[in-house]
Amino acid sequence: MITIQGKSVFGGVSIGKLMFYKRNEKVIKREHISDADAEWKRFEAAKGQAVDQLKELYEKALEDVGEANAMIFEIHQMMLEDLDYLESIENIIRSQEVNAEYAVATTADNFAQMFASMDDAYMQGRAADVKDVSERVLDILCGVSAGVKEMTEPCIIAADDLAPSETVQLDKSKVLGFATMYGSANSHTAILARTMNIPAVIGLGETLSSQYDGKMAVIDGFTGILYVDPDEETLARMQEKRAKDLEQKELLNQLKGKENVTRSGQKINVYANIGNVSDLGAVLKNDAGGIGLFRSEFLYLENSTFPTEEQQFAVYKQVAESMAGKKVIIRTLDIGADKQVDYFNLDKEENPALGYRAIRICLTRPEIFKTQLRALYRAAVYGNLSIMFPMIISVSEVKKIKEIIAQVQAELKAEGIPYKEDVELGVMIETPAAVMISRELAKEVDFFSVGTNDLTQYTLAIDRQNQKLDTFYDPHHPAVLAMIKMAADNAHAEGKWIGICGELGADLELTEEFLKMGLDELSVSPALVLPLRKRIRECE
């Protein structure tokens, strides 16, 4: 038995086989070939296999996410049949007498560069598509796997760390838990684990090796320990611990339908944070009062090009309808920093957390922002939908947002498309600047939602993704709590409500403190709704 100590990010016990997340490991070399006809046939065979894979993906996506979201796989099939693309590959193979891998990689680079340099946003989006389909063909030609996408049985996912674009590809119904070598408590792997209500351990270091792939393992999410090849005694102890944990969760289920009210009668709304339509079941199952944060950027992370207005409208409408009149707060696009999307073609930055991200992208690339706002205002007709804007630092930004909203509403009206006019608007309080001007901001909007992950990062000047700084990162820091208190006082002074949608909202040690501050809402991962309700009901 191998025992590896890490850091727990979500409690519980998980027992199953380890599966290491495999990334592409292929080196494309230029090689001279003597038979161009044979090499071209080799490419055609790989292309045919890629088309078959895309057809299967289309059928699967059709069932999982609907026709609008599945269309991308049809587009990719069409790209593989594009004459210009095919002629370029054939020409390189025959004229330069080189291998198919080199010809595909060169064509992909040339076409991606050509699309990326165009002024049209749609055509720029094709750059990521041509790379994606070419990577699929190269995987087949090189005989490598493209990462854990097909999981034959439920397993514990092991990796160095996982990017948001990688976590969205996983078959979440088969993920028993996460074990990563690196990462912080605020990494996307950690947030995903909390959303999915599954145990996760991070920071296991180099001891977690791919040589353990396929071995039986146990995650103890309470102590942060990973056991590989556990002995019988450890396995029995962990099975008993898991049974007790499930029993505890069953007791929490008895709180469903109860109010979030303290012993002294103070009420507070408890909502859920989600990133996908597939999380809706967890929201309803855990009896959340609404959705306090829908991370719309996952629509962009899951796509290989900009999601269309219709794609977004279908998702927002489904969320609004499913919540049947309960509040649904959708955060506009929050790309940048640690959430990178290839087709946005963002430059590499020295300090991405302080860089071109979130509302800054939306206000400087209004065509992207307008598409999202049109979808949101149309979907608002079907439920109780509110919109909030991330990374706000000035009143002028809010006024600019309102100008763009007015343009969007005028366009929808002129086109005769139904939309809701009086949608509740809010801003996220994530920067010290927003806290300091919160009284002025409160005059412009209907509500505040405190993003404590970023607020802590910016207040303490600590990169929350840097695990070397974990000992310095203190979300309970008096300065952070003072910031939240100031924002709450200023919101209430202007008659507006305020909530928390960051990870701190689920910190049961601070629940009583937040109640004293008079916070109106706490939004947490669906799995934490009932534990938070229990804590609220115990408070005086």
Side-chain angles (χ1 to χ4, degrees), residues 52 115 119 162 188 309 362 393 404 412 452 468 497 521:
D52 289 342
F115 286 135
D119 291 335
L162 291 166
H188 285 276
E309 180 183 328
C362 292
I393 60 166
I404 295 171
L412 289 170
T452 54
K468 289 179 185 171
W497 68 266
E521 175 247 21

Side-chain angles (χ1 to χ4, degrees), residues 124-138:
Q124 286 171 355
R126 301 277 73 76
D129 285 337
V130 78
K131 276 189 171 179
D132 204 7
V133 291
S134 302
E135 282 295 323
R136 185 174 292 281
V137 175
L138 287 169

Side-chain angles (χ1 to χ4, degrees), residues 173-242:
S173 66
K174 292 194 175 81
V175 179
L176 297 174
F178 289 111
T180 64
M181 295 159 74
Y182 313 113
S184 72
N186 296 297
S187 67
H188 285 276
T189 308
I191 290 169
L192 182 68
R194 287 190 280 263
T195 302
M196 290 170 64
N197 192 17
I198 57 173
V201 180
I202 60 166
L204 293 160
E206 307 287 330
T207 319
L208 177 63
S209 161
S210 57
Q211 69 184 2
Y212 303 136
D213 191 34
K215 295 208 180 272
M216 181 56 72
V218 177
I219 288 177
D220 184 343
F222 298 107
T223 60
I225 294 175
L226 174 72
Y227 300 98
V228 182
D229 267 346
D231 54 39
E232 284 184 24
E233 187 193 332
T234 305
L235 193 57
R237 187 162 46 85
M238 287 296 118
Q239 283 169 336
E240 190 183 335
K241 198 170 186 178
R242 183 173 64 176

Side-chain angles (χ1 to χ4, degrees), residues 461-475:
I462 286 179
D463 177 2
R464 62 189 174 97
Q465 299 292 330
N466 187 339
Q467 65 183 101
K468 289 179 185 171
L469 300 175
D470 276 1
T471 51
F472 298 96
Y473 186 87
D474 176 17

Side-chain angles (χ1 to χ4, degrees), residues 452 455-456 459-460 474-485 504:
T452 54
L455 184 61
T456 306
T459 303
L460 303 183
D474 176 17
H476 290 208
H477 195 290
V480 176
L481 299 179
M483 290 266 180
I484 298 170
K485 173 82 165 61
L504 213 55

